[in-house]
Amino acid sequence: MKITFYGHACIGIEVSGKHLLVDPFISANPKASHIDINALQADYILLTHAHQDHILDAEAIAKRTDAVIVSNYEVAVYFGNKGLKYHPMNNGGSWQFDFGKVKLVNAIHSSSFPNGSYGGNPVGFVIESEHKNIYISGDTALTMDMKLIPMRTKLDLAILSIGNNFTMDIEDAIIAADFVDCDKILGVHFDTFGYIEINHEEAKKKFFNAGKDLMLLEIGESITL
């Protein structure tokens, strides 16, 4: 499984010969100006909620690649009404796709489209593939519901929001890592704008002191599990 960070909360995942793209917000992110959305591959686009900084480039990429939008019912149908392929889900449900199983788990946040219309419940994703399992928290507060995840799935990586103000901060993300029983963490949702700027070295040190490995990738950088 190859995972690439495209800035903010956008992650690319290559698994079982398929390309997944999570929460594509690239074209309006100055920090990701070197990423060409027209060069990205996508068989599936997973969206955690309806906020613009998570769905901005979904339509354009899905139209070009014929990708399937996977999200909560409201978000999936919104894109389906635009003529795109979609697979609607809801919290607690799971589905076996050709790359692995996806389960929607709870996230504590808000969810509305850029025009203010209702975007359904925000979610996180647990992805179980043939060899590796990952958790994508989405935008969320720390929640006791995270403790349910390791009851069903042994994680190899947790992708956690860490930027504070709109989501968990570093201290809460460390607790979240304990809750999901995973010591390998990829941080997202940080540094994009002033509200969520973090001190990288301090963040890594706090995770290290808690016995965990926090990875903060450069935009366009990849890791392999």
Side-chain angles (χ1 to χ4, degrees), residues 115-219:
N115 64 6
S117 61
Y118 177 58
N121 292 320
V123 301
F125 296 106
V126 174
I127 300 175
E128 297 182 1
S129 66
E130 184 177 357
H131 302 293
K132 300 293 181 179
N133 303 324
I134 65 174
Y135 165 52
I136 302 169
S137 73
D139 284 12
T140 187
L142 179 66
T143 167
M144 295 293 284
D145 288 341
M146 293 172 177
K147 288 192 170 186
L148 298 172
I149 292 171
M151 293 181 181
R152 292 284 301 271
T153 306
K154 175 60 178 174
L155 296 174
D156 297 286
L157 177 72
I159 300 174
L160 304 179
S161 294
I162 60 172
N164 202 8
N165 196 71
F166 298 110
T167 68
M168 295 182 288
D169 62 7
I170 297 300
E171 287 76 11
D172 278 355
I174 291 171
I175 298 172
D178 281 333
F179 282 3
V180 301
D181 192 21
C182 187
D183 294 335
K184 194 175 186 67
I185 310 302
L186 176 60
V188 295
H189 210 279
F190 65 93
D191 282 359
T192 313
F193 34 81
Y195 286 123
I196 59 174
E197 291 178 352
I198 66 169
N199 183 313
H200 290 213
E201 293 309 311
E202 181 180 317
K204 290 178 182 178
K205 183 177 180 180
K206 287 181 177 180
F207 270 86
F208 179 80
N209 290 341
K212 305 179 192 308
D213 177 24
L214 173 66
M215 294 174 288
L216 301 176
L217 299 181
E218 296 293 330
I219 296 175

Side-chain angles (χ1 to χ4, degrees), residues 60-76:
I61 295 172
K63 281 182 176 178
R64 178 179 57 81
T65 63
D66 204 32
V68 178
I69 303 286
V70 180
S71 190
N72 69 31
Y73 181 84
E74 288 80 5
V75 172

Side-chain angles (χ1 to χ4, degrees), residues 16-132:
S16 299
K18 299 296 181 180
H19 292 82
L20 285 58
L21 195 62
V22 181
D23 287 351
F25 173 75
I26 300 169
S27 62
N29 181 2
K31 295 180 182 296
S33 59
H34 58 292
I35 304 297
D36 180 7
I37 66 169
N38 294 312
L40 297 180
Q41 296 177 272
D43 298 294
Y44 298 89
I45 298 176
L46 279 60
L47 303 175
T48 61
H49 62 292
H51 287 163
Q52 180 168 297
D53 62 327
H54 292 258
I55 69 167
L56 178 67
D57 297 315
E59 182 177 352
I61 295 172
K63 281 182 176 178
R64 178 179 57 81
T65 63
D66 204 32
V68 178
I69 303 286
V70 180
S71 190
N72 69 31
Y73 181 84
E74 288 80 5
V75 172
V77 170
Y78 170 87
F79 285 102
N81 288 337
K82 293 176 174 287
L84 302 175
K85 293 181 178 178
Y86 68 102
H87 183 104
M89 300 181 69
N90 219 320
N91 298 56
S94 61
W95 190 261
Q96 185 70 43
F97 293 92
D98 54 3
F99 60 84
K101 186 171 78 171
V102 174
K103 182 172 184 177
L104 267 62
V105 294
N106 291 342
I108 299 178
H109 196 58
S110 56
S111 180
S112 57
F113 290 99
N115 64 6
S117 61
Y118 177 58
N121 292 320
V123 301
F125 296 106
V126 174
I127 300 175
E128 297 182 1
S129 66
E130 184 177 357
H131 302 293
K132 300 293 181 179

